[in-house]
Amino acid sequence: MRTGEKLPSIAVIGAQWGDEGKGKITDFEAGRADMVVRYQGGSNAGHTIKVGEEVFALHILPSGIVRPGVINVIGNGVIVDLISLDKEIADVQDRGRSVDGLRISDRANIILNWHRLLDGAEERLRGKKGVGTTGKGIGPCYSDKIARNGIRMGDLLDAELLEERLDTVMPMKLKTMEMLEVRLAQTRDELLSELLAYGKKYGRYITDTSVLVNDALDHGKNVLFEGAQGTMLDIDHGTYPFVTSSNCVAGAICTGAGVGPKRVDEIMGILKAYTTRVGAGPFPTELNDATGELLMNVGGEFGTTTGRPRRCGWLDLLIVEHAARLNGLTQFAVTKLDVLNDMKKLKVATAYEIDGKHMEHFPGNFMMLERAVPVYEELDGWQGWKAGETMEIVRGGYDALPKEMRHYIGYIEKRSKVPVKIVSIGKGREETIRR
Ligand code: IMP
């Protein structure tokens, strides 16, 4: 429950390739927030939240939506998938929750059917060199935004403006689709009336969210900025071109939520205790063996959005350092430590050997990365933690954690110079220790 005290505004950012458990930590932190703000990404994100026995799989709605009284903002930097939005709102309402606190930026771009079609067509053309996108139209939609060919949420509220935008943009998109041999099963008038209907349905949520967020901050409200994907999927700082099409690092909060750089007080990196990745691209500590399979099965590592199995591997301290530096992290939350229970030995990568060179910083060249041989340090695992004991450990606090686990956490802190403030040892909201 909210306490009424003024807490620092906080950002929750993925430190790896997404799927670090941001949904759970955001929800945990949202207990103290008045407002949760999404600022980048689209329905490629999959945030799973478990409340009691109920599980919510969110893609576009901010994770505070299941908390009564919280204002949930979809900022201008998000690209809005109206089909996904429609489904998620209906699901949340069907389960007895209100979405009255939802607000959507009038400046947020919309994912249209041609973006989905073009995403598929581009991936097919890339062939074996495909990015392995989620197929949600993310790349083409962000490309159109930058090329000034986007349709925005505010346009849905103004028929004249929307018609003008469609008539400017649609002929270009039709040409591109023809070239890439995909066909839109919709006429201009059908699309126009569909979009206007969405405008009618969701108009009351559409507003200038920059004003809203800054007002909330000015009035001492507790604001939480919820990142999607992760640092290694960032368009500039990730494993380009095997990345998503938005900036995922903390800097994106300013442009994607419409706030100045001094408005975020705490920047929390969410770090999974091991590493996973969905889709293609280099992954130096990947385990293509029984240990990787064990992590996948015990960790339930299957994509929330696409259901694809996630590739699994050891913790990579080069990534930890990369994320700490790029985001200016002030704290870490380490998740899924329980997945490593009962493993005798754990490995962490401390450096790479690439073409005979020793490297301690994550390189930008993906072909070099594919040749990287991790230099590992071996640490003792922790044993004998029984399934039913988790809450007992939570009640005992940080010091009740096995000493090997505390040592493992210490490694992360030493390399990143960032304190670990939250430790998550189970799926449930309550299976979390705040230090
Ligand atoms: P896109 O964002 O659909 O264009 O996909 C680009 C890459 O980012 C692919 O490798 C996806 O699997 C990955 N990706 C996108 N969103 C997420 C996410 O929320 N979690 C993990 N991986 C993601």
Side-chain angles (χ1 to χ4, degrees), residues 17-19 44-46 131-135 138 229 233 243-244 278-280 308:
W17 276 288
D19 309 311
N44 48 348
V131 175
T133 73
T134 59
I138 305 299
Q229 290 83 49
L233 287 171
V243 291
T244 190
V278 216
R308 289 181 287 181

Side-chain angles (χ1 to χ4, degrees), residues 116-190:
R116 283 180 269 268
L117 289 168
L118 292 171
D119 194 1
E122 287 175 11
E123 273 290 89
R124 279 192 294 280
L125 284 169
R126 286 185 198 113
K128 278 205 281 237
K129 306 276 177 206
V131 175
T133 73
T134 59
K136 301 284 175 183
I138 305 299
C141 182
Y142 273 119
S143 306
D144 271 349
K145 169 180 170 171
I146 301 302
R148 293 151 297 190
N149 291 328
I151 307 284
R152 311 203 296 181
M153 287 303 291
D155 304 351
L156 306 186
L157 307 180
D158 183 334
E160 192 189 342
L161 170 62
L162 182 60
E163 278 198 66
E164 193 194 293
R165 292 298 297 147
L166 276 184
D167 291 338
T168 309
V169 167
M170 195 163 171
M172 264 190 281
K173 299 293 32 159
L174 288 172
K175 278 224 160 71
T176 313
M177 280 184 277
E178 196 185 324
M179 216 164 62
L180 296 188
E181 297 174 339
V182 283
R183 225 187 122 256
L184 186 71
Q186 222 174 8
T187 64
R188 177 252 191 216
D189 289 348
E190 282 165 355

Side-chain angles (χ1 to χ4, degrees), residues 340-346 378-383 404:
L340 302 179
N341 287 359
D342 293 327
M343 292 180 89
K344 284 211 165 51
K345 292 282 175 192
L346 302 170
E378 203 173 68
L379 306 176
D380 288 333
W382 47 90
Q383 264 103 66
E404 296 84 359

